[in-house]
Amino acid sequence: MSATYSELRAQLATLTTEAFRPELAEIDQLPTAEIAALMNGEDQTVPAAVARQLPAIAAAIDATAARMARGGRLLYLGAGTAGRLGVLDASECPPTFNTDPSQVVGLIAGGPSAMIKAVEGAEDSKELAAEDLTALGVTADDTVVGISASGRTPYAIGAVEHARALGALTIGLSCNADSALAAAADHGIEVVPGPELLTGSTRLKAGTAQKLVLNMISTITMIRLGKTYGNLMVDVRASNDKLQARSRRIVALATGAADEQIETALAAADGEVKNAILMILADIDAATAAERLTTSQGHLRAALHATEPTA
């Protein structure tokens, strides 16, 4: 047995996410409905764990939005489940908020193939994370989020360390207290949902916790960047039939306009929901709407206030 293996085993034994729960040692003997009830009960503890970190989450989001407002990107890096969750959150931003695919990026240790098949050893390399960030040309305007349930994954820590050295904003998201990842980052977010139903299976409560926090980071950042109007997704990209229908519904909810007026505005605005809403509410043409949205940096509410007559 190598010293490295012994050290890692001892390290894992100290982690809450790896703790063994003797009361569940015979879970495989229970009826299916009882196991499902146990899992459901476990999952209910996750939002409370997230709630305890809300101040840290909010501070990280405000700092992220400030960087992105001046052109920075949001970059997620992790291995295994953590990396997949980052890729998932990033991939949902273009259709939801009409972001360019380069604005929010998810990287998983081992590259795209690791999304469906584990790449052995990739998570153990800080250097691999630095290489991945170098390939993206990370700058001081970017935000780099290292994601790791254990908080000890070298790939995630290496990403944060490399990015911070370049002046980028760094966030460390883990599911254990006093983690190396949180210590390495500008903003440490340690959501601790406790030991898993299956010992060490961090795709369960830890994965759910990470998904909830990533939802907050991307969604609230986009709200701060003016990607919504109230709780309406006014920057939605109508790339399929469902989203085209949703676009028309959003314009209707925001304006109360008749279907014919909505269709005319969307056609003139080349399908841009935000522009169509501004055209209808401010009674202006497409070119003027586009100009005012540019002036307001894409914030629909600010563009609407700019159209209001002064006393």
Side-chain angles (χ1 to χ4, degrees):
M1 185 184 297
S2 68
T4 301
Y5 176 81
S6 298
E7 291 168 3
L8 177 57
R9 184 174 175 181
Q11 193 179 85
L12 291 177
T14 68
L15 300 177
T16 302
T17 49
E18 298 288 331
F20 173 67
R21 299 172 63 179
E23 75 274 18
L24 297 175
E26 296 186 4
I27 192 174
D28 57 329
Q29 303 297 307
L30 298 176
T32 299
E34 207 169 317
I35 299 173
L38 280 170
M39 287 194 71
N40 182 244
E42 291 290 304
D43 290 340
Q44 290 180 46
T45 69
V46 177
V50 173
R52 291 191 287 271
Q53 288 293 300
L54 288 178
I57 293 168
I61 291 169
D62 282 338
T64 300
R67 299 275 178 134
M68 292 196 77
R70 60 178 189 249
R73 298 168 294 175
L74 175 57
L75 311 175
Y76 296 129
L77 286 91
T81 297
R84 293 182 189 99
L85 289 169
V87 172
L88 172 64
D89 198 74
S91 67
E92 289 173 342
C93 286
T96 307
F97 301 112
N98 202 17
T99 58
D100 186 277
S102 67
Q103 279 185 284
V104 185
V105 178
L107 296 178
I108 183 170
S113 64
M115 284 293 293
I116 55 175
K117 184 178 181 181
V119 176
E120 299 300 331
E123 74 169 52
D124 296 327
S125 175
K126 287 186 176 183
E127 294 74 23
L128 179 60
E131 290 172 8
D132 287 346
L133 286 175
T134 298
L136 279 180
V138 67
T139 74
D141 283 337
D142 295 328
T143 298
V144 171
V145 183
I147 313 166
S148 165
S150 68
R152 59 150 299 280
T153 305
Y155 181 82
I157 296 171
V160 165
E161 289 176 341
H162 181 74
R164 194 170 184 180
L166 294 174
L169 179 74
T170 56
I171 300 170
L173 172 57
S174 73
C175 294
N176 283 291
D178 304 316
S179 67
L181 178 59
D186 297 301
H187 295 268
I189 300 172
E190 296 178 319
V191 179
V192 185
E196 299 287 4
L197 185 90
L198 300 180
T199 304
S201 182
T202 53
R203 59 180 284 270
L204 301 176
K205 287 192 299 186
T208 300
Q210 291 167 350
K211 180 69 168 78
L212 292 178
V213 175
L214 293 176
N215 279 348
M216 288 183 179
I217 291 174
S218 58
T219 301
I220 302 173
T221 294
M222 294 303 160
I223 290 173
R224 294 274 78 91
L225 293 175
K227 294 288 186 179
T228 64
Y229 178 62
N231 64 341
L232 297 175
M233 297 183 293
V234 292
D235 255 330
V236 67
R237 178 180 297 166
S239 55
N240 58 38
D241 289 344
K242 181 189 76 174
L243 293 178
Q244 286 179 10
R246 180 178 291 163
S247 294
R248 283 151 178 76
R249 184 167 183 268
I250 289 170
V251 177
L253 288 169
T255 65
D259 289 348
E260 185 177 349
Q261 187 179 11
I262 291 170
E263 293 296 336
T264 299
L266 279 169
D270 197 25
E272 295 288 344
V273 171
K274 188 184 292 183
N275 298 51
I277 292 171
L278 182 56
M279 290 169 61
I280 294 169
L281 291 181
D283 193 21
I284 55 179
D285 62 22
T288 305
E291 181 183 341
R292 290 183 182 175
L293 282 167
T294 298
T295 301
S296 69
Q297 297 182 309
H299 289 255
L300 176 55
R301 201 176 293 278
L304 282 166
H305 288 164
T307 67
E308 293 174 356
T310 56

